[in-house]
Amino acid sequence: MSRAALLGLLCLTAGACRHGPTLFGSGSAPGVDPDSLYWKAIFQLDAANKRGSLDSATTYLEAYLASGPTQSHRREAMVLRQLARDARQLARVQGALQQARADSADGRPRSDTDSKRREDEAVKEIQRLKDELAKANEELDRIRKRLAAPKPPNGR
């Protein structure tokens, strides 16, 4: 492959990565009905669609939202996009939790220094909060005493 062709392909690829779901970054391909992007995203999010993905749905929703401010399903698309992002994040957390459970079930030794350090940090935080509470209670008692003290009579 010649250098010019390779450079051209690299520029097109970089432009596609930088500008979004289409090659030239228009948000949606020319002539594509924005509503079709919305309904494609809905299809991707459908639980019955075994080939659907959150990433594809997010891409379609972002293209739909980028196509202009007058879409008929703009609010729904914004909510669905956020839900898709949250679902992806939840899947990552779930995977990490399952991995942690598998690690503990495997009998891998836990680092005693890590748990000791976490315990020490928790004890320090609890003590700091207790001290802060005691200071707040002292201040509250001081205010109560000041408010309960009788006012001195006027000089009349």
Side-chain angles (χ1 to χ4, degrees), residues 120-136:
D120 289 344
E121 288 174 1
V123 167
K124 287 177 185 177
E125 180 67 11
I126 290 170
Q127 187 59 47
R128 185 190 68 77
L129 291 171
K130 283 182 179 178
D131 293 343
E132 190 175 311
L133 179 61
K135 287 178 185 177

Side-chain angles (χ1 to χ4, degrees), residues 23 44 69:
L23 187 59
Q44 292 293 317

Side-chain angles (χ1 to χ4, degrees), residues 52-134:
S53 75
L54 294 172
D55 292 332
S56 296
T58 303
T59 301
Y60 283 127
L61 288 168
E62 287 174 354
Y64 174 76
L65 292 169
S67 66
T70 60
Q71 306 94 341
S72 56
H73 301 286
R74 185 168 185 76
R75 287 185 179 174
E76 295 93 336
M78 292 170 66
V79 170
L80 288 170
R81 180 182 59 178
Q82 188 59 46
L83 287 172
R85 288 176 179 169
D86 291 347
R88 278 197 319 235
Q89 181 64 26
L90 185 60
R92 287 186 199 113
V93 170
Q94 183 181 17
L97 180 60
Q98 288 174 346
Q99 182 63 41
R101 286 180 180 161
D103 290 349
S104 66
D106 289 346
R108 293 182 186 172
R110 293 183 184 170
S111 173
D112 287 338
T113 57
D114 283 346
S115 34
K116 179 67 175 162
R117 181 182 53 80
R118 286 187 196 129
E119 187 177 317
D120 289 344
E121 288 174 1
V123 167
K124 287 177 185 177
E125 180 67 11
I126 290 170
Q127 187 59 47
R128 185 190 68 77
L129 291 171
K130 283 182 179 178
D131 293 343
E132 190 175 311
L133 179 61

Side-chain angles (χ1 to χ4, degrees), residues 1-18 23:
M1 188 180 255
S2 71
R3 284 187 153 187
L6 186 59
L7 182 60
L9 182 61
L10 181 63
C11 289
L12 287 175
T13 304
C17 292
R18 194 178 100 228
L23 187 59

Side-chain angles (χ1 to χ4, degrees), residues 2-56:
S2 71
R3 284 187 153 187
L6 186 59
L7 182 60
L9 182 61
L10 181 63
C11 289
L12 287 175
T13 304
C17 292
R18 194 178 100 228
H19 293 296
T22 62
L23 187 59
F24 300 106
S26 64
S28 63
V32 173
D33 180 27
D35 279 342
S36 70
L37 295 170
Y38 174 77
W39 291 111
K40 285 179 182 180
I42 296 297
F43 180 70
Q44 292 293 317
L45 291 171
D46 185 7
N49 180 8
K50 300 298 181 198
R51 301 177 86 186
S53 75
L54 294 172
D55 292 332
S56 296

